[in-house]
Amino acid sequence: MEKGEILARKYCQSCHAFPEPSLLSVSSWENGVLPNMGPRLGIFNFHFTEYPSMRRDRNLPAGFYPSEPLMKPEEWQNIINYYTATAPDSLPPQQRTFPIKNDLAIFSISSPAITATNPVTCFVKVDTTQSPHSILQSDILRRSVTRYDEDLKPVDSVPVAGSIIDIDFRASPMVATNIGQLNPTNAKLGKLQNLFINEKGKMNLDTVAAIEFLQRPVQSVQVDLNGDGKPDQLVCEFGHTTGALSWYENLGNNHYARHVLRPLPGAIKAYVQDYNHDGLPDLFVLFAQGEEGIFLFTNRGNGQFDQKEILQFPPTYGSSYFEMDDFNKDGYPDIVYTCGDNADFSVELKPYHGVYIFKNDGQWNFKQKYFFPVNGCYKAMARDFDGDGDLDLAVISFFADYKNQPEEGFVYLENKGNYEFLPHSMQETQQGRWLTMDVGDLNGDGKPDIVLGNFSIAPAFIKSKIPWGMAPPFLYLKNISK
């Protein structure tokens, strides 16, 4: 076993954090992860078994896979033996100090009328930039973005060629991120499109892309990164086996020059913040593929950035979202982080999936302070929902244990102080699969409401008792706290 561990630490750790055998079951290592990692080491066939690869993908750059194996067959066998001999037969169940109770009473739930089966909502947003406030919802199958009023009635809709999964409401005009194809691909089908509101309040999505040929972009942020007075575009190109974090320099007259900050896939969420107070916008970015972690890109001026990984996670975590929120009110934002993507090479419930809080020590070093396990956790948003002066957490899961504990699909973590949270849920939130969520004051009463977007089509391995087919496209959780 010693030889296998030495080899694993040498080769596996060259691309990402070292994956301990205990992170997955024997079956996941043997039948999922290792066969898919073999080609990255130039091993395409082993013991008369062909490993899955994308060698015929024309979208991959030349030399993506090694032309020759990086190790001898017996060395690869040593790695296999190491993982299969030391990994557990099955992963332990999640352990919670407090059970999730269906007793949440500070929200009332409503939904729009169900007009079609199988809603596939990939984006929801409470738009508070215009009055009256409204909800925007994007549906993949229906290829549209629809606006709903406070009564949850559709009042406007625009067709989309592709899938809108993010809108930058602060941009002028607003910028919609079109992923192109939601399913994994290396093709450059994504684009950024300007979204206009005409004098009658109606949406108009520009069919001419502002920026095109993007690899599955999932977020864009309009910001002047080089200080020339023109708004640039920061783009998270999540991609698949290839991708990048890039910024597109505004050259004027609708022309952009691409600059790659990190030429690797998985960029999923970015925040712009001048953390060192030098007047230049810096970037905090979560990567969710391979080398999973949160990276800080410090702006040195003239479009130049230094890169530092401030948090690193194993590649099995399936990072899904993060926020920067000040929980202890010391003036330094802490990090709320979720992991739970569970549709890759190791489809099994994982005890480390859930929501984490990492405390900022004031020197921009982060240490874990809190963890609440949620199978398949996808997003957590921190707000003072109950009006008691501290930050609570609204949490969704896309790969919940729907068969045994469907209440973890939506969890409200009530802050009781000193990083102790009580979990609550509602029976009504178990009628969908929540891929996306947003928080905003829809009715203008000064209290944060919640919207849950329903992506009802589930992979075959998802086991559930929930009849999702006739579920609504989203749920509106109106805040009725006093």
Side-chain angles (χ1 to χ4, degrees), residues 18-169:
F18 176 70
E20 296 286 350
S22 59
L23 289 170
L24 299 174
S25 66
V26 172
S27 177
S28 288
W29 286 118
E30 192 170 30
N31 302 315
V33 174
L34 293 174
N36 279 279
M37 292 301 103
R40 302 296 185 98
L41 300 170
I43 302 169
F44 299 95
N45 295 276
F46 192 70
H47 285 178
F48 307 105
T49 298
E50 184 176 354
Y51 284 168
S53 73
M54 304 182 72
R55 283 189 291 178
R56 296 179 179 85
D57 188 343
R58 297 179 180 178
N59 296 295
L60 285 181
F64 179 82
Y65 290 112
S67 57
E68 298 289 337
L70 301 183
M71 63 178 65
K72 299 176 181 178
E74 56 268 27
E75 292 178 316
W76 179 238
Q77 185 64 61
N78 283 333
I79 292 178
I80 294 174
N81 292 344
Y82 167 63
Y83 279 99
T84 56
T86 57
D89 291 333
S90 61
L91 295 181
Q94 293 190 332
Q95 301 293 325
R96 298 191 181 110
T97 304
F98 305 104
I100 304 172
K101 296 182 178 180
N102 287 315
D103 61 355
L104 183 56
I106 68 169
F107 296 99
S108 66
I109 293 184
S110 57
S111 61
I114 300 174
T115 58
T117 60
N118 297 321
V120 191
T121 300
C122 57
F123 173 74
V124 288
K125 183 72 176 180
V126 181
D127 182 6
T128 59
T129 62
Q130 302 179 67
S131 186
H133 299 171
S134 58
I135 293 174
L136 267 67
Q137 177 250 352
S138 177
D139 188 289
I140 289 177
L141 289 184
R142 289 151 190 86
R143 293 181 176 270
S144 63
V145 174
T146 304
R147 184 184 295 275
Y148 294 81
D149 63 15
E150 184 184 332
D151 297 321
L152 308 188
K153 295 180 180 179
V155 293
D156 192 15
S157 182
V158 291
V160 177
S163 300
I164 300 298
I165 66 168
D166 183 57
I167 298 176
D168 185 356
F169 285 84

Side-chain angles (χ1 to χ4, degrees), residues 384-385 439-449 479-482:
D384 182 9
F385 291 101
V439 172
D441 181 10
L442 178 62
N443 59 354
D445 65 355
K447 294 180 287 190
D449 308 307
N479 193 329
I480 58 174
S481 64
K482 297 180 180 179

Side-chain angles (χ1 to χ4, degrees), residues 291-320:
E291 176 58 19
E292 298 195 17
I294 296 175
F295 291 77
L296 168 60
F297 296 85
T298 301
N299 195 331
R300 296 307 182 192
N302 299 316
Q304 302 300 310
F305 292 82
D306 292 340
Q307 175 183 312
K308 177 184 177 182
E309 188 171 24
I310 58 175
L311 284 173
Q312 185 184 56
F313 310 108
T316 61
Y317 266 40
S319 300
S320 50

Side-chain angles (χ1 to χ4, degrees), residues 282-392:
D282 308 303
L283 314 173
F284 291 84
V285 185
L286 173 64
F287 280 77
Q289 293 273 80
E291 176 58 19
E292 298 195 17
I294 296 175
F295 291 77
L296 168 60
F297 296 85
T298 301
N299 195 331
R300 296 307 182 192
N302 299 316
Q304 302 300 310
F305 292 82
D306 292 340
Q307 175 183 312
K308 177 184 177 182
E309 188 171 24
I310 58 175
L311 284 173
Q312 185 184 56
F313 310 108
T316 61
Y317 266 40
S319 300
S320 50
Y321 186 78
F322 88 111
E323 279 193 351
M324 304 189 73
D325 305 288
D326 188 0
F327 277 84
N328 58 355
K329 301 178 183 179
D330 65 352
Y332 294 95
D334 309 302
I335 286 177
V336 176
Y337 161 81
T338 62
C339 59
D341 190 359
N342 209 8
D344 291 326
F345 310 136
S346 57
V347 180
E348 58 183 322
L349 299 178
K350 300 177 174 69
Y352 44 82
H353 276 176
V355 55
Y356 296 75
I357 297 176
F358 295 92
K359 183 181 177 182
N360 188 335
D361 68 356
Q363 301 296 319
W364 297 93
N365 302 304
F366 296 85
K367 184 177 180 180
Q368 182 179 325
K369 191 68 177 178
Y370 175 78
F371 169 63
F372 184 81
V374 177
N375 289 300
C377 191
Y378 242 57
K379 192 171 187 177
M381 303 184 75
R383 303 291 189 276
D384 182 9
F385 291 101
D386 54 12
D388 65 354
D390 54 26
L391 293 175
D392 312 295

Side-chain angles (χ1 to χ4, degrees), residues 235-253:
V235 185
C236 292
E237 293 183 74
F238 189 94
H240 181 32
T241 52
T242 58
L245 174 71
S246 307
W247 72 280
Y248 285 76
E249 180 183 0
N250 190 339
L251 303 178
N253 298 319

